[in-house]
Structure formats: structure tokens, C-alpha cells
Amino acid sequence: MARIVQKFGGTSVGDIARIQNVAKRVKAEVDRGNQVAVVVSAMSGVTNQLVDYCTKIAADHDQREYDAVVATGEQVTSGLLAIALQQLGLQARSWAGWQIPITTDGAHGKARIVSIDGTEIIRSMESGHVAVIAGFQGIGPDNRVSTLGRGGSDTTAVAIAAAVKADRCDIYTDVDGVYTTDPRIVSAARKLDKITYEEMLEMASLGAKVLQTRSVEMAMKHRVRVQVLSSFNDQPGTLVCDEEEIVEQELVSGIAYSRDEAKVTLIGVQDQPGIAAGIFGPLATANINVDMIVQNASSDGTTDLTFTTSRSELDRALKVVKENMKVPHRSISTDKNVVKVSVIGVGMRSHAGVAQTMFKALADKGINIHIISTSEIKVSVLISEEYTELAIRALHTAYGLDAAA
Ligand code: ASP
Ligand code: MG
């Protein structure tokens, strides 16, 4: 017997027939002799609609009331799925976040889970009931309903799995797993059988939208084994797990990209102590995320400083920089037509030459690299956006990731 948490996303519970289909999947797991808790999202489109209602009344609305409104989507599906399960002869009941309880901090609209008491859910599962839990919501220190940020049901599922010490957390979605890269760009992209937490975290934060980034952080912290799979077929998905569980570790597991990038270059800046602090301090205070940073060596007492931020924050970033440039500089230039492409793999920790393969593959296609940054398990380059597809395809082939034709 295993203890399984299943999570079904919006498209999987998109209409009544799909909810009934989900009920069958839950029953199959129960029939295998397993203890099951289910976490559900709102029916697809519902959360957007609810957000829209709030915005229509007031663009700058009370976040506590926003939470009261948007949390209802998940409540509907949890009740409906419980009814569907009862129709199949199972014992089931719905649970709202506050009933468990799932306590969060007070950041309404993007709250973080503080603690989950798993006692009642475990008791319910042990007595043969299926617990159907509304994802995305909790209860804040002000005793009011809170939500976890868009895509937050993934995080609820992983957190519940940690709290009840589940053997696995199955995240059912509309894709059948995690791919070596975006299959819309590379038709030879392959579904990965397994991927490490560290790699998945990089993939998720670099824009592979399979799992909410926070849910991966949570899985990594509590060592929850997470499987991403489709609710529309019966294929095994991708298991996100510990490195030790992966026998044949590839050098590079995937290639991710992010188009939400913009580059700012400060040209001819006086080279003296405090320059970086004077620029990046105010950016941080303004809550602007800075990603890649490069500073040239200086020979004539001045230097160029380049950094990237997200495209949507470029205008704000520029304003902050201009207001805080207290030292002499020649000019400031910006570029919005850039994309960040990254190769990711825990295998590169112990192998040399991984970056060189990337540089050579890009050079062979005549693609110029603006910025390079590396971490233990990732090499990223910033290139012109027009080369996105070309670069990703070339890298996918260069690292031997293409599926056999
Ligand atoms: N329903 C919420 C959203 O659309 C949470 C989720 O589905 O994960 O963001
Ligand atoms: Mg989702």
C-alpha cells in the first residue's frame, strides 16, 4: 500500500465530464489499495474570470477581498469531485484550506504556506476516505482566506504530500511530462523519465511552465517525489526526484529559454568603489529583479556595466538607474530584443567542456553571444531574439538530446 497525493489542474477538471473522468482515475488509485488525497485547481478559465471581476470594479482592489473571490474556484471543484467520487461508491469529502488547516503568511494574493497540520487528512485517508482538497488557498494570520499566487495549486499538492508523508505526488496536467526542451520549437524533443529537483527548479524558473517554481522548491526541501503526467492518457510521466534515484544521468538534461529579458548597458562609467552598490542597491529597493550582471575590466579608468532585467520592468529599471547615476558616465543603452537560452544538467558538475559545446554550436550557426553566465548546473547565454529557435535546435542536437527519428 502506498500513500499518494494526486493533483488535477484546470484543464483536467475543465467540465463535468472531465471531473467524472478524474473521479475514475482517483478510484483506480484507491482500487490498487492505496490511500489517496486529491488536490484540485479551479475549472480552466474560472480563476481568470474571477480576477477579471475584481479588476473591473477596481484596478487597485483590496487584496483580502481578491483572495475571498478567487479562492472560490477551487472550492467549487473540490465539492464537485467529492460528489463524483461518491457516485462511484467511494467515501469522499471536500476540504477547504482553513479546515485542514493550511496556514499562510499575510501576503494576500501571493501568500506562502507557513504550516500544514496533516493529522486530519491522514486520519481521513486511514479510515478509507478520499480527501478532496481545494488547492491554491489557505488561511492567513488575520484569520482570512489567502491564496498562494497563480499556479499555486501545485504548491498546495506538494505541501500536502510533505505533510502526510506521501510516497509520491502525482501532478496531472495537460502535458504528459517534462521535455528536454519546448516541443513546439524542437519536434525531436524527448520526454524525460526522470529529472532532479535542482534541474527542474532551473527549468521552472526559466519559463518551462509545467510546475509552479515554488512547488519545486518545496518538493526539493522536503524531498517529495513528484510525478508530472497527463490526465488525458495512461502514459507514465516524468518523475522529479533526488539525484540518487537517477541511474543514467545525462550530462545535459534540458534546454530552457526565456524571452522576458531586457539588457541595460552603462557605458564608460567611472571605475571606482561603490559603483555597483550605487546602482543595484536602488534597483533592489525598487523591487526590480536583476539577473545577469557583467562588468568589464577597465584600462582607462572607466568601465562598461551590463545587466539584464525582465522586459516588463525595463522602463522602471531605467528610471531608477538614471535617478541614481551619481558618477560620470558616457551613455546608457538598452535592448529589448534579447532572449536567454540555458543548458541545464547536474552532470556538468563533474564534467569539463560543457560550456564549450554550447559556444561552438552557437558559433557554427553564426550566433553572437552578448552575455554568458554560469552556475554549478547551468550555462546561460543572452543572444538576439531572432536566433531563439535556431539556437535551441542547434544546442538540442549538439548535446545529443534529439529523439531517434
Ligand atoms: N486556479 C489557480 C490559477 O489558475 C491556481 C492553480 O490552478 O494552480 O492560478
Ligand atoms: Mg497549473
Side-chain angles (χ1 to χ4, degrees), residues 7 9-10 40-43 47-48 70 74 135-136 149-154:
K7 183 258 169 177
V40 286
S41 284
M43 295 163 87
T47 309
N48 284 345
V70 299
E74 273 70 11
F136 183 50
R150 298 306 305 270
S153 296
D154 292 342

